[in-house]
Amino acid sequence: MSSKKINFQEQVLKELDEFQRVQFVFFYRQNYKKLGVAYLWLIFFGVFGIHKLYLNKRIGWFYLLFCWTLIPALLAVIDIFLLPFQVKKYNKNLSIHIFELIRKLSSDSNTQLLIIDRKLKKGRVGLPEWVLAFAIVFGVITPAIAYASMRLTAHKLEIHYKTNHFDGSQSDLFLSI
């Protein structure tokens, strides 16, 4: 007989009764992270650490804070290769956390569901943090980059006015824009 490798979720589901399995699947599907979405965040906003915020890692704020140093850009290149392992680790830790919460709490279904939901929301990056991150990216960093780029590549417009006066004298006026 060939031994099949059973993934962690299947092992967890075998240890739970029917009601607990339904709870586990509900909370897992509500909170797990997809690799494709993580790669999209990495491709478009990796320098700013948004892919780390997607995985509920607050280290994304350090990416955002130091994005001007280009160190996060190098880390984002490394994350291209490490992201599948990070998403898998996040989902496995999520499974363990949900399993422990379900096993630890009593079987009173109404309060148990609310408690589990509150405890899972505690570790998430909330909407105010997402709004703040995108406000910083699009309200501060992007305009600063655009302004710096404009200033570095702009050519000065110089206007030279030469005026002849009735008395035969001349005056020069230079205007630089």
Side-chain angles (χ1 to χ4, degrees), residues 42-155:
L42 175 64
I43 290 167
F44 292 110
F45 298 105
V47 174
F48 305 116
I50 303 297
H51 64 291
K52 294 291 187 182
L53 292 177
Y54 175 69
L55 294 174
N56 294 330
K57 293 182 179 179
R58 300 279 187 312
I59 196 169
W61 287 107
F62 289 107
Y63 277 65
L64 191 59
L65 181 65
F66 294 108
C67 68
W68 59 274
T69 64
L70 295 178
I71 293 170
L74 297 172
L75 294 174
V77 170
I78 294 170
D79 281 341
I80 290 172
F81 303 105
L82 297 179
L83 199 59
F85 302 108
Q86 293 172 359
V87 171
K88 191 174 184 178
K89 181 180 176 185
Y90 173 83
N91 288 333
K92 185 175 181 180
N93 289 340
L94 177 68
S95 298
I96 293 169
H97 189 59
I98 293 172
F99 175 74
E100 288 172 352
L101 287 173
I102 289 173
R103 296 291 285 198
K104 186 169 71 169
L105 296 173
S106 65
S107 62
D108 183 17
S109 63
N110 294 333
T111 59
Q112 182 181 9
L113 295 176
L114 292 173
I115 291 171
I116 292 172
D117 191 46
R118 261 190 242 124
K119 289 190 182 225
L120 289 174
K121 281 183 180 178
K122 219 183 253 187
R124 275 192 244 163
V125 174
L127 182 63
E129 286 182 87
W130 280 100
V131 170
L132 180 62
F134 279 106
I136 291 170
V137 168
F138 291 113
V140 177
I141 296 172
T142 305
I145 291 170
Y147 179 76
S149 174
M150 179 188 74
R151 293 299 290 167
L152 291 173
T153 60
H155 300 286

Side-chain angles (χ1 to χ4, degrees), residues 5 40 61 110-111 157 162:
K5 188 176 183 182
L40 286 174
W61 287 107
N110 294 333
T111 59
L157 175 64
K162 195 169 235 184

